[in-house]
Amino acid sequence: MKRRMVVMYMEIGCFVSCLFGWILVCSTLPTDYWTFSEVSDVALTTINFYSNLWKDCVSDTTGVSDCKEYPSMMALPAFLHATRALAVCAVITGFFGGVLTLIGMKCTKIGGSEIANARVTFAGSITYLVSGFCGMITYSWWANKVITEFLDQNFLPQKFELGAAIFVGLGGCMLLLSGGTALSYLSGKDLTSSNVNNSAESSRRAATYTSARTRRTYMLPASASRVTLVPPIFNEGRKSQASIAPSATRKASVTFNRDSFV
């Protein structure tokens, strides 16, 4: 009972960790500052360029800002399509991971038996891990592209730096991965112990059934019992044997015909 309480509190902690990580990942999608760049011509005038997965924006020190969405989806590079798809997959899988984990946790008592809850929780933890890996690939790929272009001396277009959304997303992915890993370990351990107990119980049942069958094979039912009387043998003459034989036959016939009353 004490171990069950400890596992329950650990599951709650892992779920909260994954939930906060998923919220951080979701918050980065509408955030504008995935990349930013600052250009200053005069000391009093500064122009900031920033962009994300969906649009490019520009603002100046006067407070005027303007954003423009990407004009054509088909004209976008494959890198942007891939990062968009991975970011959306991270959000969707994180949502379903939260639903599965909430159903299968020990404190909710929604799933059913202990084995069913452990299976649902394990599925939720794997879904959380998929969400974390999708987000990690998205932010790492974006950061690698920005850093490579910034350090490339032959890159002539405007260079950008990493925005706040990348660091927030990486932190959320770390929470998803850590919480999902711990949750999968706890639920997998419960599944392993449940399978061992079930196999031991089934082996005990099988042994009992076999022994019962073995014992029953040596027991004849009452309706199938037969009593055979052998006439006694005496060292007398033929006359004595002839006189004894009819009585023995009558006894045997009475014994053999007792099943007719059943």
Side-chain angles (χ1 to χ4, degrees):
M1 188 66 182
K2 184 177 180 181
R3 180 187 177 277
R4 188 178 186 280
M5 293 294 293
V6 173
V7 172
M8 183 180 68
Y9 287 125
M10 292 182 68
E11 284 182 352
I12 294 174
C14 294
F15 174 73
V16 172
S17 173
C18 293
L19 182 62
F20 278 119
W22 178 71
I23 292 174
L24 290 177
V25 171
C26 292
S27 66
T28 60
L29 265 69
T31 304
D32 295 331
Y33 289 92
W34 281 57
T35 57
F36 76 95
S37 178
E38 183 177 307
V39 178
S40 57
D41 295 334
V42 189
L44 298 178
T45 304
T46 303
I47 301 176
N48 296 321
F49 296 92
Y50 51 93
S51 62
N52 60 2
L53 294 172
W54 321 104
K55 57 187 176 181
D56 289 325
C57 298
V58 59
S59 65
D60 55 13
T61 54
T62 61
V64 178
S65 62
D66 185 22
C67 294
K68 180 182 179 181
E69 296 183 356
Y70 297 123
S72 175
M73 183 176 180
M74 302 302 295
L76 294 177
F79 160 76
L80 198 55
H81 284 296
T83 50
R84 281 181 175 183
L86 287 172
V88 173
C89 287
V91 173
I92 294 175
T93 53
F95 171 77
F96 285 108
V99 172
L100 292 173
T101 306
L102 191 62
I103 293 174
M105 289 172 62
K106 297 182 183 297
C107 61
T108 56
K109 299 180 181 179
I110 299 177
S113 62
E114 292 290 336
I115 299 179
N117 285 340
R119 289 174 180 173
V120 174
T121 307
F122 186 77
S125 64
I126 296 300
T127 311
Y128 268 139
L129 289 176
V130 173
S131 176
F133 279 118
C134 288
M136 185 67 70
I137 293 172
T138 301
Y139 302 115
S140 300
W141 196 359
W142 188 283
N144 179 68
K145 181 177 181 297
V146 173
I147 294 173
T148 302
E149 291 178 353
F150 187 84
L151 297 178
D152 189 4
Q153 300 295 332
N154 298 322
F155 186 75
L156 299 180
Q158 184 177 358
K159 296 183 179 182
F160 290 87
E161 297 183 9
L162 296 177
I166 300 299
F167 301 100
V168 173
L170 289 174
C173 291
M174 292 301 296
L175 290 176
L176 282 171
L177 292 176
S178 59
T181 302
L183 201 60
S184 62
Y185 172 76
L186 294 174
S187 56
K189 194 173 182 180
D190 288 341
L191 279 176
T192 304
S193 60
S194 300
N195 292 333
V196 170
N197 294 334
N198 290 337
S199 62
E201 185 177 357
S202 62
S203 63
R204 287 197 298 270
R205 288 179 179 176
T208 306
Y209 180 71
T210 304
S211 61
R213 287 190 59 188
T214 306
R215 289 196 299 269
R216 191 163 58 249
T217 53
Y218 292 101
M219 297 171 60
L220 294 175
S223 61
S225 62
R226 294 290 185 272
V227 179
T228 304
L229 298 179
V230 179
I233 300 174
F234 299 95
N235 293 326
E236 295 180 0
R238 293 180 179 178
K239 183 177 180 180
S240 62
Q241 293 179 2
S243 62
I244 293 173
S247 61
T249 305
R250 286 195 300 272
K251 292 181 181 180
S253 64
V254 172
T255 305
F256 280 106
N257 293 330
R258 71 174 184 174
D259 294 336
S260 60
F261 294 95
V262 180

